[in-house]
Amino acid sequence: EGHQKVAEIIGPIQQKVKDQGQIVAKSKAEKADKSEIDKEVKELKRLKLELEVTTRKLFKKFKFQKSTTFYFN
């Protein structure tokens, strides 16, 4: 049960990180304005931090070992 709950919570955050990473890559490839790229990178870092914090909280809540692996679609 814990694994399913974790996947339901973390999955959408992981998708946001992936999507934002693609936005950053596209902006860089299109040689967007530096301020725009910086803004997009800042958002990516924020999302990565959100993912890390959420993951740590869930590992503590469900008492998973650090070596636990999750697979998300």
Side-chain angles (χ1 to χ4, degrees), residues 39-71:
K39 183 178 122 186
E40 299 297 351
V41 168
K42 185 176 180 179
E43 176 63 10
L44 178 59
K45 288 180 179 181
R46 186 195 68 76
L47 288 167
K48 285 182 174 183
L49 181 60
E50 178 184 346
L51 178 61
E52 180 181 344
V53 169
T54 302
T55 301
R56 286 178 189 222
K57 285 180 182 176
L58 290 171
F59 267 57
K60 286 181 182 178
K61 179 178 180 180
F62 292 104
K63 297 178 175 52
F64 292 132
Q65 295 180 4
K66 287 185 179 184
S67 61
T68 302
T69 303
F70 293 96
Y71 297 96

